[in-house]
Amino acid sequence: MAATRTFSIIKPDATRRNLTGAVTKMLEDAGLRVVASKRIQMTREQAEGFYAVHKERPFFGELVDFMISGPVVVQVLEGEDAVARNRKVMGATNPADADEGTIRKTYAESIEANSVHGSDSEENAKTEIAFFFDEDEIVG
Ligand code: CMP
């Protein structure tokens, strides 16, 4: 199967605890290759735009506040079946439900401060990658 791409965010709870390398190692050990990466401070407008699909959800305001509470690392990951592979190593959204050995079981603090985001479909991966990266910033 050909390599595909997905989009990942290492969230503020993880950057605050200096876990960028530890989280990235788990991604790499799962067979994903970091083909683009940048550490940014998201603006409120970016966070609201990125999570626009959740804007009617009761947790939207807190989610945006959290995502701009510190730096994040946005990444493009490449690998065989990258979207599913990344979701498997991330674990369930709520760390209480995440399997042993997953990033969220290992590092997440709560359903909100859950250390990583990953695209949930190939289509959303394309949209999310384009939200943060120009094609010439991605080097496979
Ligand atoms: P993420 O994959 O980044 O997509 C939306 C985020 O909303 C999700 O991870 C969670 O961190 C966050 N979130 C906060 N509260 C909730 C909740 N009650 N249900 C689902 N997601 C939540």
Side-chain angles (χ1 to χ4, degrees):
M1 194 197 215
T4 56
R5 288 176 178 173
T6 191
F7 175 75
S8 167
I9 305 177
I10 302 176
K11 295 188 180 185
D13 66 286
T15 62
R16 192 176 290 126
R17 288 176 288 152
N18 206 22
L19 294 172
T20 297
V23 170
T24 301
K25 176 156 174 36
M26 289 182 79
L27 297 170
E28 291 176 339
D29 287 348
L32 294 160
R33 178 177 293 270
V34 180
V35 295
S37 182
K38 55 189 172 190
R39 183 177 171 102
I40 60 168
Q41 172 63 55
M42 260 196 229
T43 64
R44 181 169 294 279
E45 292 66 33
Q46 273 178 313
E48 286 175 350
F50 182 77
Y51 280 121
V53 290
H54 295 304
K55 68 174 182 297
E56 305 304 332
R57 309 281 284 271
F59 57 81
F60 180 70
E62 283 178 13
L63 172 62
V64 168
D65 287 346
F66 170 66
M67 291 301 290
I68 65 173
S69 69
V72 299
V73 179
V74 291
Q75 297 182 318
V76 181
L77 307 176
E78 203 170 81
E80 210 173 278
D81 205 4
V83 169
R85 190 176 285 266
N86 185 39
R87 290 182 74 74
K88 188 166 180 220
V89 69
M90 285 196 302
T93 304
N94 187 343
D97 302 329
D99 290 339
E100 289 295 335
T102 62
I103 294 169
R104 284 166 169 162
K105 181 70 173 185
T106 306
Y107 293 122
E109 296 179 317
S110 65
I111 192 167
E112 178 179 271
N114 65 353
S115 302
V116 279
H117 165 83
S119 309
D120 62 5
S121 68
E122 293 256 348
E123 191 188 345
N124 284 341
K126 288 192 172 71
T127 307
E128 292 178 359
I129 289 168
F131 195 90
F132 287 104
F133 290 97
D134 294 330
E135 194 56 39
D136 66 1
E137 293 180 292
I138 305 168
V139 183

